[in-house]
Each structure stands twice: as structure tokens, then as C-alpha cells.
Amino acid sequence: MADTKREVFLEVKNLRITYETKQGKVKAAENVSFRIHRGEFIGLSGESGCGKTTTALSLMHLLPKEGKVEEGVILFKGENILDYDTKKVEALRWRDISMVFQGAMNALNPVHKAIDQMITALRIHEDVTEQEAKERSLELIKSVGIDPARATSYPHELSGGMKQRLMIALALVCHPSIIIADEPTTALDVMVQAQILDLFNQLRDRTNLSVLLITHDLSVLAETCDRIIIMYAGRIVETGRTDTIFTMPEHPYTKKLISSFPSILVDKEIDFIPGNPPDLINPPSGCRFNPRCDFAVDRCRQEVPPLECENGHCVACWRRHEF
Amino acid sequence: MSDIILEARGIKKWFTVRSGLFSTIFKRTEPTYIRAVDGIDLKVKRGEIFCIAGESGCGKTTIARLIMRLETLTEGELWFDGDKISDMSESEFKKYRTRMQMIFQDPYGSLSNNMTVEDIIAEPLRIHNICRDECEVDERVRSALEDVGLNSPDEFVGRLPHELSGGQRQRVAVAAALVLNPDLLIADEPVSMLDVSMRGQILTLLLELRAKKNISIIIITHNLAVAKQLADRIAIAYLGKIVERGETKQIIDSPMHKYTKALVSVVPVPEIGVERNRILLTGETPNPISIPSGCRFHTRCPFVGDECSQKEPELLKMSDGREVACFKAQVSDAAN
Ligand SMILES: Nc1ncnc2c1ncn2[C@@H]1O[C@H](COP(=O)(O)OP(=O)(O)O)[C@@H](O)[C@H]1O
Ligand code: SF4
Ligand SMILES: [Mg+2]
């Protein structure tokens, strides 16, 4: 599925993003580069605070005002969208690149019926009649597995799972070619989570949609994604095909992350990574994982390891080939 | 000293719905109840880690709150270390209050932000007037910090919660719960807000505490993978009742109740290429205001039979020692 010959239609190169704070500049993302092909499902994972949401927001031009893209290029269909003015960004957002935000299901406007919110969203972006907008909205509501009879419900009358389906329907309303889903199942029960992931899988079978699925729960990505990106402290440390990442991880952080994941299928001793992720105002020099890495040597503390690729499996570790 | 530290007999908690909304929807005039906990028996052994698992709305948090007397029972009895605590007066109950402690899901919300770590941990000691003097308070605070792996207490006592990492905050919450040397610790989703590496640290800590102090722990979680790593026994709850209970490994490796089977089958796993027979249930857990007749799972059960909507299956012991409340499972067990 992850056919590299397929059309690359989103490419991020050397992205560097900072946030201005009272305590200093937070180096939230650095040297972030990746590609998304048409129809591909990419997983982005790593512990809280590693820069996942920051990266996602930059793709939508939605960083908060203290956030700044200091460097880098985001190529969408060959154009650098970071150069776009407000008008071009608005034309792109929701219609080409769409997003389901973290915790968004609580962001539905409580005083409007679900369907009305969709009709409004659609009519802001496209020149359609009320009737057309209504028909398309109902179609979408059905496609995400909500009984059309519930379309006229108010958000508080819907369960968490239904609200999340609705957010996905809203994100799909203008037929985007890529949807970014930030922790779309984190607050949901396992059965509802499985239903939502199943919905993403159905969408992939029906359309040529690409999905960037962001979650700190790596196991959620195993059954859904073609490729996985692992971030640590603002940098990508490893990317590769899903099976490669899970069966042959090479970065010490990814290895630890996977071995720390409890699984109901095996009897695993509890494992964890001692210590905490670093403060991104003053991150460690060299490899940012070095203070927690069992294999760190002097070079790791001095020089930043580049993300190097072999057969599509990219790893940023000086000692990759030593173990 | 009883071998059973905590026992619940037929406990129920029905909340009365005050707003007219539901009554209007269900066109009822008589009072409407949310049957959050609807008849549950439990026995937790000394030194045991017992897990109550299930999806939201299954009543697991309410069970914990009932045990802690943060809610009053609608029906049933609670026994602690051989004594019936459910109809004790507040003053009689006082000496039991220090013996059971609770930690909560959210390490951010549960610690007050203007108290130092020292104040937070010392508070239960001061409230219960446990120490002779401030020196003893200080000593116990420090040893509680060491118990939870914050090994240089000097570094931590003066800090405020926001100056700690998520994992450290949860450790402080555990320290505050432990400072009174309770026999029973109730942990409601203690790791669900933590990242995986932090989670491992807290789970390891709980295991060490049990080994060192022989404390009993009731862990409440929706995460079956966490339950498997931690708990000796597990009870799976659905809509206010226990549907299956037994040794954790037995239940998770070979579930018998159809609901447990479905739940286990959809837990995401960090392994790839494993053939799993997923049972994806449709819809969501019904509202506990209108619990289905018969087996309360029958409206969503892919294996539902005729009798399932008519009679309510009892939680019965199977040949391997576990208990299951499912007609089909009971029949197939009897046939073996
Ligand atoms: N104080 C309350 N008043 C009314 N309903 C409540 C109250 N507390 C819990 N409930 C309801 O009881 C049911 C079970 O809740 P809870 O014990 O919180 O389950 P869980 O912890 O498994 O989510 C839910 O439907 C919940 O809305
Ligand atoms: S570069 Fe060095 S410190 Fe970083 S992960 Fe590799 S061995 Fe560890
Ligand atoms: Mg709860």
C-alpha cells in the first residue's frame, strides 16, 4: 500500500517551529521532514509534548500567535503553502487539507443542531444552495455511521462517539484530499475507538483520501497505518513502514516505546523509559534522547544525528548499525 | 484479622433524575432512576490487586465512591476487615477512613495548585491528628516520598504541583494516599492520563508497594492491557453489573462472556500481523436510565438467543473457577 511511486502530494521539508514564552523560546519542532502520498495513511506518534500537534497545526496555518515557523517548506501539490496569503490559505483549509482537532468533540457549538453546523460550514466554502448543502450533509452523516434521524440533534443529545463521528463528517464536508486527525479516539472507550478506526478504514477503501493520524497510543496505529513517524522532543527519530517499525525498530527510543507498551496478547513485564522528556526551552545538545539512552556515547552528546534512510526506513541515531 | 479486606454484598446505587428532561422523553410521571450500580458483590483479599474494568457508564467510578462513602448506598452492605461499615455513623467510621485511601485519574486536577508537596502529603496527617509533633509529620512526609520513589525529598517538599512532571504529580498523589499507611488503596484510572513510559513507572510503583506493604489495591480502569500487567483478579462490569470475574490472565486470554470477548478482541495491540477475530459491536452502551430487560447486554450481543431478553443470567461459577453471567457460556461450560 505504501507505494513510494505513488503521487507525493504533501511534502514537509526541514520544518522548524518555535513558541515564544515568558521563560524563553520553546523549540517545539526541528528538522521535521516527511511526505504523504495520495491514499496513504500515516501515523504520527510519540509522547505528549513531542511536537505532534504543533506539526499538524502548521500544515493548516493554524499555529497560535506565539507559534512561528522559523524555517522550512510545506509543499502541497508542488506549491509552498507557507508562502500563501490569508486568502489562499482559506481556500486551501478544509477544502484540500482538513483536520479533526484534539478534544474537538466538545467544541461543537451547543446551540446549533448538528446538521445546521455542517450546512453552514459547507456554504462558507462552496457556492451551493441550502438544499444541496443539506443533501450533501445528510449523505456525509450517513457515511460516518450516524442515523440521519439524529442529524437534527443538538450536540448535548449525542454521545462522545457520535460527536466524534460528526467531527469527522464535518472535516470531510468539502471533500478534502487529506485529513489530519489529532488524537481522534483518545477520550473514547475501546469499543467506540474501534468503531471510529473502522470508519477511517472504510473511508480509505471508498475514497482516495490520505490521513495523518496522530496519537500518543502507538498501538492504535498498528492496525490502521501504512507508515509511521516517531517523534521525540521535537524531532523525528524514526520513520518506516508500520510492520518495520513494530517488528524491527532501530532507534533506541522507538525500541523502548514499543517494549513499554502493554499488550493483552503477551505476558509482558512492565517496562518503561526512566526519566522524563526534556524541557524544550533548553533541550539537550546532540541527540535529544541522549540523557535517557542506554547507548549514549560522547558523540551523541555533541552532534545531532541526521535522519538517514535505508530502503525507506529512516533512523536518526549515531549507533544505528552497532546493535 | 480477616483475610478479606473489603466485601460488598449486593450493593446498589440508583441516582434520582431531578431534571424533567428524561421524564419527558420517557413520558413517565413516576421518579426516574439512573441505575449506576445495580447489585454487585465483591470480595477483595488482603494484599490483592483487584481490577474493576469496563467502559464509561458501567458504574466503576460509582463503586469506588460507594466504598469510600462519598456516595450513600441505595441498597446492600459494605464490610471492611470483618466489620460492617455501611451503616456506621460518621464518628464510628472515622477510624476506618484512614485505612482506605483513593487516588484519582487526573494528576493535574487532584492536587491543589497553591499547596507545596509537603503540605499536600502532610494534610491527611494533620486532619486525622496522627502525629505527636511537626517533626514526626516531616519524617512521615519524607518517608512517604521515598516510598513512591522520589528519593531526594529535599528537592521535592517545597515544590508546587505545576513544577512537577505528570508522573511526579501522580507519585505525589500516591504518597499522600500512603502517608496514613492504609490497608486498601483505590486507584481510579491512575495512569490513563499518563504517557506510556510514565505509566510503566507508576504501575511498577504500585507493584512494589504491594510487595513491600502487603497493601490491597482496587484498580479501576478501562484499559485491559494495564489490568493484565497489574491485577491478580479482574471483574468486567457492564451497565452496573459484573458480567465476568476471575483471574486476570484467565479472563483476558480466554474470555467467556460475549461482552468480554468483544471488548478483548478490539483492544489495540502493539503487535503486527497477528490474526485476531475482531468482534465489533454496533452502537454504544445503553443509557442506565433504561436498562434492557433480561441480560442487559442482549441488545448488542451478536450471539443473542431467545431467552436472553426474558431472563437475567446470574453470575455463576464455571468449571475453571471463574464466574460468568451469560446463558450461552454457562451452557457450553456445562457441556464440557
Ligand atoms: N452524581 C450523579 N448524578 C447522576 N448520575 C450520575 C452521577 N454519578 C454518576 N452518574 C451516572 O451513573 C452512570 C455510571 O457512572 P460512573 O460511575 O461514573 O461510571 P464510570 O466510572 O464507569 O464512567 C453514568 O450514567 C453516570 O452518568
Ligand atoms: S544517537 Fe546516541 S543517544 Fe541518541 S539514540 Fe542513538 S545511541 Fe542513543
Ligand atoms: Mg469513570
Side-chain angles (χ1 to χ4, degrees), chain A residues 41 45 48 73 115 204 227 303 320:
Chain A
F41 273 44
S45 196
S48 317
V73 177
I115 181 127
R204 120 193 267 147
R227 281 193 301 131
E303 295 169 59
R320 172 179 192 177

Side-chain angles (χ1 to χ4, degrees), chain A residues 9-238:
Chain A
F9 78 118
L10 185 88
E11 180 165 14
V12 175
K13 285 192 204 166
N14 294 328
L15 203 58
R16 184 159 70 85
I17 302 168
T18 59
Y19 291 107
E20 202 62 65
T21 70
K22 276 198 220 95
Q23 291 77 35
K25 234 180 205 180
V26 179
K27 303 180 178 79
E30 211 167 273
N31 229 322
V32 170
S33 305
F34 59 89
R35 291 169 168 185
I36 300 179
H37 301 87
R38 192 170 281 283
E40 190 178 34
F41 273 44
I42 305 262
L44 175 57
S45 196
E47 292 169 276
S48 317
C50 73
K52 305 182 292 292
T53 299
T54 299
T55 304
L57 290 176
S58 73
L59 300 179
M60 294 280 288
H61 268 251
L62 283 176
L63 285 170
K65 65 177 189 311
E66 53 294 354
K68 184 169 175 227
V69 178
E70 306 262 3
E71 211 184 303
V73 177
I74 300 173
L75 291 175
F76 181 73
K77 293 181 177 159
E79 290 184 43
N80 182 9
I81 61 172
L82 288 175
D83 293 339
Y84 278 15
D85 58 18
T86 322
K87 214 170 145 215
K88 282 182 94 174
V89 167
E90 276 169 6
L92 174 92
R93 206 188 278 155
W94 308 119
R95 291 172 61 165
D96 291 306
I97 307 179
S98 189
M99 186 158 172
V100 177
F101 295 95
Q102 187 164 357
M105 52 190 186
N106 301 319
L108 281 171
N109 192 330
V111 301
H112 293 294
K113 293 174 182 166
I115 181 127
D116 294 344
Q117 299 195 40
M118 289 184 77
I119 294 172
T120 310
L122 193 57
R123 296 197 69 194
I124 288 174
H125 294 279
E126 285 177 40
D127 186 21
V128 288
T129 64
E130 173 92 25
Q131 190 53 35
E132 274 175 290
K134 187 170 178 189
E135 278 160 22
R136 264 172 68 184
S137 301
L138 274 172
E139 210 37 58
L140 269 169
I141 285 182
K142 264 193 271 175
S143 77
V144 296
I146 299 179
D147 176 2
R150 304 300 300 264
T152 51
S153 304
Y154 288 94
H156 74 265
E157 296 167 339
L158 300 170
S159 67
M162 281 211 262
K163 279 191 268 188
Q164 195 59 298
R165 283 171 194 266
L166 207 61
M167 293 311 296
I168 295 168
L170 262 173
L172 290 170
V173 87
C174 301
H175 299 297
S177 40
I178 174 165
I179 174 168
I180 304 166
D182 193 3
E183 305 277 4
T185 62
T186 300
L188 303 174
D189 277 318
V190 276
M191 190 55 72
V192 182
Q193 166 169 285
Q195 292 168 352
I196 298 284
L197 294 177
D198 194 58
L199 172 62
F200 278 116
N201 278 330
Q202 285 171 24
L203 287 171
R204 120 193 267 147
D205 291 344
R206 285 206 303 261
T207 63
N208 215 1
L209 184 74
S210 309
V211 175
L212 179 64
L213 185 59
I214 300 176
T215 173
H216 69 284
D217 187 349
L218 199 53
S219 54
V220 163
L221 304 178
E223 283 168 23
T224 328
C225 294
D226 302 310
R227 281 193 301 131
I228 289 179
I229 302 169
I230 307 288
M231 286 183 83
Y232 180 77
R235 293 202 187 122
I236 293 179
V237 293
E238 184 157 6

Side-chain angles (χ1 to χ4, degrees), chain A residues 47-48 159 189 195 263 267, chain B residues 56 195 197 249 271 281 283-284:
Chain A
E47 292 169 276
S48 317
S159 67
D189 277 318
Q195 292 168 352
S263 169
D267 297 316
Chain B
S56 48
D195 275 311
S197 64
K249 195 173 152 42
E271 280 90 21
L281 300 177
E284 292 175 40

Side-chain angles (χ1 to χ4, degrees), chain B residues 186-197:
Chain B
I186 302 179
D188 189 4
E189 300 281 9
V191 295
S192 67
M193 304 279 282
L194 301 176
D195 275 311
V196 62
S197 64

Side-chain angles (χ1 to χ4, degrees), chain B residues 256 258 261 318-319 326-336:
Chain B
M256 281 178 74
K258 307 300 180 192
K261 270 187 200 283
M318 302 291 102
S319 46
C326 162
F327 293 123
K328 301 239 155 168
Q330 289 163 358
V331 168
S332 69
D333 186 69
N336 283 332

